[in-house]
Amino acid sequence: LELRPGATIQGDLRHNGPMAVEVPAGVEIGGTVRHHYQSAPDDDPTILGSLGKALALFLLGVALLWLLPGPVLRAADAMPRHPVRHLLLGGAILLLSPVLLGLLMISVIGIPLGVLMLGLWLLALPVGIVITGFAVAVMIRRRELGRERETAAQLLRRYALAALIMAALPLVPVAGLCALTLIAAIGVGALAENLRHGRRGGLAAG
C-alpha cells in the first residue's frame, strides 16, 4: 500500500501487510491508521510441494504410458543415443512455438489453431519431463545384469524414483530450474523426433 501527497481518505485506514504504510505530508486521513502485521506470501518451493509435483508427474507418466506406450518408450530408449540432437530440437520447439503462436493470434482465422497450439505448448513442458524420466528408468534397467524383460510395474517404480528427483530440482536455487528446463527440452525433442519418424514410417508402409 502506497499513499501519495494529495490523497484523501474519509474515515479510518486499516490494512494488512508485512510493513506499516507511510503517511507522507499532504495526505489527509479522516480517522485513524491501523496496521495488522501479515507476512508476505512465500513462493519458494517446499519439500511438500515437491512431493505433490512428483505425484503429478508420476500420474502423468502413467497416463502417457497407457495412451502412447510405443512413442513414449521408443523416445525414452533413443534419448541416451542422441541427447544433443534431442536437446537442440526440443529447445527450438519450445522457443519458436511462442513466435508462431503470436503470428497465428494476429489473424482472426488463426485464433482457434493458436489456442490449440498454446495448450499443446503448455503441455509440452511436463510431457518432456516425463519422457526424460522414462529415459532414466530405461537406462537404470540396462545397467542391471540378468534381466532381459521387465513388467510395467517395475518400469513405473524406476520412473517414480526419477520423478521424485526431478520434482525436487527446483529446491536448488537457479541451477535446479535450469536443469529442469533442459530436462523438459530434451524430452520434447526425443518425443517429437520419434513421432516424426513414426509418421514417416506409417506413410511409407501405406
Side-chain angles (χ1 to χ4, degrees):
L1 178 61
E2 180 182 1
L3 297 177
R4 295 184 178 181
T8 301
I9 298 177
Q10 303 292 335
D12 296 336
L13 173 60
R14 300 178 181 178
H15 69 101
N16 301 329
M19 298 178 60
V21 64
E22 295 183 2
V23 183
V27 175
E28 297 182 4
I29 299 179
T32 59
V33 178
R34 298 183 181 180
H35 168 243
H36 180 265
Y37 175 79
Q38 184 177 13
S39 61
D42 187 7
D43 295 331
D44 294 335
T46 62
I47 295 179
L48 184 60
S50 297
L51 291 176
K53 293 176 182 178
L55 178 59
L57 283 176
F58 178 77
L59 295 177
L60 179 59
V62 172
L64 286 176
L65 189 62
W66 180 65
L67 293 172
L68 301 169
V72 168
L73 293 180
R74 285 194 297 269
D77 186 66
M79 184 185 299
R81 296 195 294 269
H82 310 288
V84 176
R85 185 170 69 194
H86 293 156
L87 177 62
L88 294 176
L89 177 60
I93 292 174
L94 294 177
L95 291 176
L96 296 180
S97 293
V99 178
L100 180 59
L101 288 173
L103 295 176
L104 289 174
M105 291 296 187
I106 293 176
S107 64
V108 178
I109 299 177
I111 290 179
L113 181 59
V115 172
L116 176 61
M117 289 189 62
L118 176 60
L120 294 176
W121 183 77
L122 294 175
L123 187 61
L125 293 172
V127 168
I129 295 173
V130 166
I131 297 299
T132 304
F134 276 116
V136 172
V138 170
M139 286 189 291
I140 294 175
R141 180 195 63 188
R142 287 176 177 173
R143 292 179 179 272
E144 294 186 358
L145 301 178
R147 179 174 294 177
E148 297 180 357
R149 299 185 62 184
E150 66 177 354
T151 64
Q154 292 171 328
L155 177 63
L156 287 175
R157 279 200 295 269
R158 292 180 176 82
Y159 170 71
L161 177 60
L164 182 61
I165 295 173
M166 293 186 296
L169 285 177
L171 293 175
V172 181
V174 183
L177 290 177
C178 292
L180 199 60
T181 302
L182 295 177
I183 286 172
I186 193 173
V188 169
L191 182 60
E193 184 176 76
N194 180 267
L195 293 175
R196 184 186 62 180
H197 288 168
R199 181 172 177 80
R200 285 182 177 178
L203 290 176

